[in-house]
Amino acid sequence: MAELHIIGQIVGASGFPRNSLFCKWGVHTGGAWRLLSGLKEGQTQVDIPQTGDMAYWSHPIDLHYATKGLQGWPKLHLQVWHQDSFGRCQLYGYGYCHIPSSPGRHRISCVTWRPIGSWQEQLAQMFVGGGPQLRSPDLIYSGADRYRLHTQAMGTVELELGVITRHFDKYGVEN
């Protein structure tokens, strides 16, 4: 079987309305992919930057997959959350990016967005907090019904990933 190693980190995020951010992440693959080692989902710590608006997480990612085909290439999906001084958490953005298919070091900027509700929901969000969330997180990377959502652009998550491929040449894939 062909093998794919993904080694790197979620560096941090910037461009969000407030600081005190953390990130929930996960990797989605097709049915032909099997996780041999590593965690396919996780969560960073909360970072409250003292200067600037960049929240640094340096959260490690180390995954090892085996596959017999390229269909369902891994995608990294992200959720950025804000934690206020009372410990309440509010969704700040969804995002996803494809894991690069070429071996080597890659720096990826993953843009994020969040759904916006009606003007009544937006008004309530200003005073009470919270806000609309997706019922199914699969919409983040599937795109099937995502075109019907009303969204707002949010900040950017920075990733540094190293990709190592093995035995892909046996399946007709050139490096």
Side-chain angles (χ1 to χ4, degrees), residues 70-116:
L70 295 177
Q71 207 165 24
W73 191 266
K75 299 175 208 166
L76 183 68
H77 55 91
L78 307 165
Q79 294 181 15
V80 178
W81 292 78
H82 166 71
Q83 185 178 47
D84 67 13
S85 58
F86 299 108
R88 297 176 299 191
C89 298
Q90 178 180 357
L91 176 72
Y92 262 19
Y94 294 106
Y96 85 95
C97 58
H98 291 273
I99 301 297
S101 57
S102 60
R105 262 182 71 137
H106 304 274
R107 184 153 182 103
I108 301 165
S109 294
C110 181
V111 295
T112 62
W113 53 271
R114 72 173 169 188
I116 54 174

Side-chain angles (χ1 to χ4, degrees), residues 12-146:
S14 63
F16 289 90
R18 292 193 192 115
N19 293 332
S20 187
L21 303 173
F22 67 95
C23 180
K24 294 180 181 182
W25 63 274
V27 177
H28 176 76
T29 59
W33 293 77
R34 188 169 52 120
L35 183 65
L36 300 177
S37 66
L39 299 173
K40 68 176 185 176
E41 60 185 15
Q43 179 176 313
T44 69
Q45 80 279 0
V46 176
D47 183 39
I48 305 171
Q50 299 298 313
T51 59
D53 76 335
M54 179 80 173
Y56 288 98
W57 298 314
S58 301
H59 184 81
I61 294 176
D62 189 356
L63 301 163
H64 182 191
Y65 282 99
T67 185
K68 290 184 180 177
L70 295 177
Q71 207 165 24
W73 191 266
K75 299 175 208 166
L76 183 68
H77 55 91
L78 307 165
Q79 294 181 15
V80 178
W81 292 78
H82 166 71
Q83 185 178 47
D84 67 13
S85 58
F86 299 108
R88 297 176 299 191
C89 298
Q90 178 180 357
L91 176 72
Y92 262 19
Y94 294 106
Y96 85 95
C97 58
H98 291 273
I99 301 297
S101 57
S102 60
R105 262 182 71 137
H106 304 274
R107 184 153 182 103
I108 301 165
S109 294
C110 181
V111 295
T112 62
W113 53 271
R114 72 173 169 188
I116 54 174
S118 65
W119 68 270
Q120 295 99 333
E121 291 171 325
Q122 292 179 39
L123 186 64
Q125 183 177 355
M126 285 175 40
F127 292 107
V128 182
Q133 296 180 20
L134 299 177
R135 287 186 188 160
S136 172
D138 295 345
L139 284 175
I140 299 170
Y141 49 81
S142 70
D145 290 325
R146 199 172 61 213

